[in-house]
Amino acid sequence: MINNKLAEKTYWIGKVDDRKVPFHRLILEKGTTYNSYLLNTEKPTIIDTVDIMYGREFVKNLEGIIDLNKIQYVVINHVEPDHAGALPILLNKAKNAIIVTTEKARELLNGMFKLNKKKYLIVKDGDTLDIGEKTLKFFKTPYLHTEETMITYCIEDKILYPCDIFSTHIANNELFNNLAKEDITEDFKVYYKLIMSPHRTYVRNMLNKIKKLDVNMIAPSHGYVLRTDAKKYIDLYDEMSTVDFNKIDKKALILFSSMTGNTGKIAKSLAEGLNSTHIKTEIFNIKSANIDDLKESALKSDAILIGSSTKYGDMIGNLEDIIKDLMTLDLSNKLGIAFGSFGWSGEAIEIINDYIKQSNMTLVDTSFIVKSTGANHLKLPLKINYFNEDTSPKSCVDAGKEIGELILKQSN
Ligand code: FEO
């Protein structure tokens, strides 16, 4: 390492991993880095650690730089083991260190590493922490790319520590982007597409939070520290997360069969969520639907949402016949989603799900969502217990928005 100094008393203390690294079912051909930072102020602070497999080496190196008993804080922006993995071994020696993180991250760290007995400082959006000579400010950035994530900003140095956000997967020994031997813009974009793009709306929220900050340098947790052109990289995220809705012409068909009206309410709320992402919707209650109109709508749609209440362990009305009829069409390249209101078991919803699975549509269920976004907060098929007028409309609208984002992403 030629120079690992980012600012006065601020140093990169990470690990360069120049293997072909297995990652999210891909192989990182250019390797990666796990960037960790030491802010060696009056209250020495570490921001993120390194991959779990390099924990011992990380701690040994750090012992050569600082007396570990002096470390006051370890900021954990994100708990995945490539960043929080060395935390347990570090805390074994840094006995006085307090973990600074979000409430959700504490829950996850305790689950993964059994750190229940360690000291935590739980921060909320906008909280600040005086570490002596420098002040850190924290912003929650949920789902970038997991629920607990936050970013850290050093007010005096104007350095943003966003962990995975604004990263690149390139093993390098130059550290700073202005010393890179090649243009990293394409690697930066590929990283965004792989890791951040499924969470487009959360990227927009994050950009809104940081737009008031004066960011001189971005020190992410993979790849190059963006010492120059910070604005260019923030603008690239802005550009890549912006959808030109004038160019969007996507449609979803929602058909349902409802016993008491609850499944109809779900259909309406789903449509509201979909519409908010500029997806046009057509809703059919099968009681009064014309099968030819339904088929025509299905063929024009990018997604088909099918819902039913459950009676005697089955769908109600002639929904099953309609589904069989629809399945005779070429529905390839369309997304299929099951939903419904239920009292105790909701078999109808599962049976619809099975039909979609057997069709040539792409079934969008929890497994699909987890595999394509890495998030597990949206449970599909969407099963709503009765329909709570206070809480269900919002959860169904939110589900509609998430499904809308998936439809938009399918078109990219
Ligand atoms: Fe680089 Fe989400 O871990």
Side-chain angles (χ1 to χ4, degrees), residues 90-288:
L90 173 62
L91 293 181
N92 281 344
K93 297 208 169 180
K95 301 278 186 202
N96 301 311
I98 297 169
I99 306 164
V100 182
T101 196
T102 62
E103 181 59 50
K104 181 68 191 175
R106 167 162 64 180
E107 200 183 289
L108 296 170
L109 288 170
N110 287 345
M112 277 195 301
F113 298 131
K114 310 283 178 279
L115 298 176
N116 310 50
K117 295 206 172 115
K118 299 295 178 188
K119 285 172 278 181
Y120 280 91
L121 173 66
I122 299 304
V123 292
K124 297 190 291 302
D125 215 29
D127 280 359
T128 56
L129 177 66
D130 179 358
I131 59 168
E133 306 152 80
K134 295 181 197 276
T135 315
L136 302 180
K137 190 164 186 168
F138 308 99
F139 297 93
K140 290 169 87 171
T141 53
Y143 301 110
L144 295 181
H145 60 103
T146 48
E147 188 181 352
E148 83 295 346
T149 48
M150 67 173 196
I151 58 177
T152 300
Y153 175 69
C154 178
I155 294 173
E156 290 77 7
D157 296 335
K158 300 179 182 174
I159 299 178
L160 186 67
Y161 299 92
C163 201
D164 274 343
I165 309 165
F166 301 119
S167 281
T168 47
H169 280 310
I170 306 176
N172 76 88
N173 288 299
E174 299 88 34
L175 183 60
F176 297 106
N177 64 318
N178 58 317
L179 303 178
K181 294 187 179 76
E182 55 187 0
D183 185 357
I184 64 164
T185 310
E186 203 46 43
D187 297 279
F188 183 83
K189 287 182 178 174
V190 167
Y191 181 97
Y192 172 86
K193 197 163 173 48
L194 280 176
I195 307 299
M196 297 295 156
S197 72
H199 312 282
R200 189 190 70 80
T201 55
Y202 298 98
V203 172
R204 304 300 304 161
N205 295 343
M206 179 274 298
L207 290 172
N208 267 332
K209 288 186 185 185
I210 67 166
K211 73 180 173 197
K212 293 188 196 106
L213 303 178
D214 187 2
V215 179
N216 258 356
M217 193 188 302
I218 302 174
S221 291
H222 294 292
Y224 286 98
V225 172
L226 306 170
R227 182 160 67 179
T228 57
D229 303 322
K231 185 176 179 314
K232 166 189 154 177
Y233 292 103
I234 293 171
D235 286 349
L236 275 172
Y237 264 46
D238 187 18
E239 192 183 297
M240 292 187 286
S241 62
T242 298
V243 173
D244 182 353
F245 289 112
N246 292 321
K247 290 186 183 156
I248 299 292
D249 185 22
K250 297 282 166 187
K251 193 166 161 280
L253 161 65
I254 303 174
L255 69 140
F256 69 93
S257 178
S258 193
M259 189 163 55
T260 62
N262 287 339
T263 298
K265 289 176 185 171
I266 299 171
K268 197 164 158 261
S269 296
L270 282 169
E272 191 183 327
L274 284 157
N275 294 155
S276 76
T277 59
H278 296 252
I279 308 293
K280 296 186 191 88
T281 49
E282 266 196 289
I283 305 184
F284 288 85
N285 181 340
I286 61 150
K287 251 186 200 167
S288 50

Side-chain angles (χ1 to χ4, degrees), residues 23 78 80 82-83 145 164 191 222:
F23 182 84
H78 172 40
E80 274 205 305
D82 50 341
H83 308 295
H145 60 103
D164 274 343
Y191 181 97
H222 294 292

